[in-house]
Amino acid sequence: MVSKEALLEQFKLFAGGTGGIANWLQETTPDSVIERLTTLDERPLSHAQLNQILLLSHEAGCSEGFFQYYWGMAPNHPYDVRALPRYRTEWNNSAAILSLDHLWWGIYRLYVDSLLYFGDVQSTYRTLHEKTTTDLQRFFAGYRFHPDAMKNRGPILPMAKISMDDRYLISEMACKSYGGTESFLERVLLEALSDHHIRGGGPVYIRDLIDGNYIKTRHRDRHVQLTFAADEVLDAIVESKAQLEERLSALERRFEAAHSSALKNTRYYLSLVNDLDVYVATSMRSRQDFRTMATMCQTVFGSPRLQPLFLRYFDPTLSATEGHEDKGLVECLMVKCAKVLLYSAGARDSYGKDAEAAMALSLGKPVIFFCDEEQRRVFYRDVHPLSRLIAFDTGVVVGAMVTSSEDEVVELLHRLFENKMEYTLEQPRPGYLRLREKLSGSVVRLQTNDSLIRETFQNYYHQGNRALSGV
């Protein structure tokens, strides 16, 4: 037998004072309930007795199916219930709650499920407590991935190959510089070279032509674009029109080949959009950005840990469209259809990748932020507004998983698709719950203890829809 003080201390994680089941075990709990629970380690608690002490605590009892699902089995679930604290294998197929640890584990599961799929513990219990085991299995099956089917589906048609050093040539800035019937880059550089000669200049670096007064005066708004497109030849010295054309013609041929392959790859991506697993969002503003991004995709998705799943992923260094409007449409479709979004922070922020991450979070999808620097990891995890948004259809708070390790990216993807995610629950202040993804330590869900915010969500967010409240 344990004391009342020890009992309440053990279950204080669940005593939020926010109403319903969260008010169950606290100082005001009836003495008869406390007395029964203090003997639980010696006297197992049946379903009938659990319902009695719930009713004595002014909380609704639960169905046999609910009791069995949360205390009598370790079901196939969207995450690994066996990895939650205090789990014991002897609880499987149990007809009663065998110990305080056993009771604690079942309540812990309920709280994790509440934050993951409903956003509010009180509303979750009210929704689920009368369900059958089959009802609950069917409900949570809708949130599970299907790794066996993924492993059996085999590989996709191979993407058209593009040399890693040529992938920057598929960018919008390169297309605007090389594409069309006349190369804009070549025309402007020839004009700048002519102006340079008129002013008495001799041999000149292509970089100096782009940085010179002629281009900065007439094409100031395209300076970054031209510098990007001419990256490989910036340090080349030219003196004549023929020399400049020779330098650029090789680049133009490589652009045509890379762009043609990237257009073909986009059609391949569209052909598998209904089976897309991961969309990779990033911003690439230099030749090195493309190399870095391509290397990251090869490292992550080529990992032996992920290869058995035959993941279908969108590699942004392999895809292009005929124009930026079409590119936006394709990428929005990919984000909508992908199961997971991988956000690579890169060296610079950009509206595009932030918008894609926001879209995915607002759709309730798992989002992994990959940041190379520890400082940026902490910034995104704890400060950046995009690290926590609300899934529009459910109102559930959704946070990104943030890591600075490629190995952790691989492991997070593996755990997601194998339904083996691990979570830890914390209550930093009464009624304020956070759910952290265990590997990265990122807050992926939360419930506020602000009663006005919570009640406003409950009363108005859904405007009578079936879905539950959010925060």
Side-chain angles (χ1 to χ4, degrees), residues 5-181:
E5 292 73 23
L7 174 71
L8 296 181
E9 176 65 22
Q10 183 173 172
F11 285 84
K12 68 178 182 179
L13 178 62
F14 313 120
T18 54
I21 197 73
N23 284 354
W24 183 29
L25 296 177
Q26 53 189 354
E27 286 292 340
T28 57
T29 300
D31 290 341
S32 57
V33 174
I34 296 296
E35 289 170 5
R36 177 63 185 91
L37 291 179
T38 57
T39 65
L40 180 53
D41 286 342
E42 293 79 33
R43 296 166 52 211
L45 187 70
S46 67
H47 171 231
Q49 288 187 4
L50 174 64
N51 279 349
Q52 281 187 282
I53 63 175
L54 284 170
L55 289 165
L56 288 169
S57 306
H58 306 284
E59 180 55 76
C62 63
S63 67
E64 179 68 35
F66 182 94
F67 182 86
Q68 179 65 23
Y69 191 80
Y70 278 98
W71 285 285
M73 59 192 301
N76 291 327
H77 208 63
Y79 61 88
D80 188 358
V81 300
R82 298 169 182 82
L84 295 179
R86 307 192 188 187
Y87 169 72
R88 300 289 183 273
T89 56
E90 56 264 29
W91 299 338
N92 294 346
N93 301 314
S94 173
I97 298 173
L98 303 179
S99 64
L100 287 173
D101 280 346
H102 191 180
L103 176 64
W104 189 97
W105 175 72
I107 298 175
Y108 197 100
R109 283 180 54 194
L110 175 63
Y111 273 54
V112 172
D113 289 346
S114 298
L115 294 183
L116 280 174
Y117 309 114
F118 300 93
D120 175 79
V121 175
Q122 179 182 3
S123 299
T124 303
Y125 182 73
R126 289 179 178 174
T127 300
L128 300 183
H129 77 282
E130 294 182 327
K131 303 293 185 184
T132 67
T133 303
T134 301
D135 289 337
L136 293 168
Q137 289 173 323
R138 184 181 299 116
F139 173 81
F140 289 113
Y143 292 96
R144 284 174 54 82
F145 293 108
H146 304 285
D148 290 340
M150 295 170 72
K151 293 170 184 176
N152 291 331
R153 63 189 173 177
I156 61 172
L157 293 173
M159 294 290 166
K161 293 183 179 180
I162 304 174
S163 166
M164 196 171 293
D165 281 339
D166 286 354
R167 295 193 188 186
Y168 82 103
L169 294 170
I170 73 171
S171 69
E172 285 295 309
M173 288 193 288
C175 290
K176 291 174 180 177
S177 299
Y178 293 108
T181 57

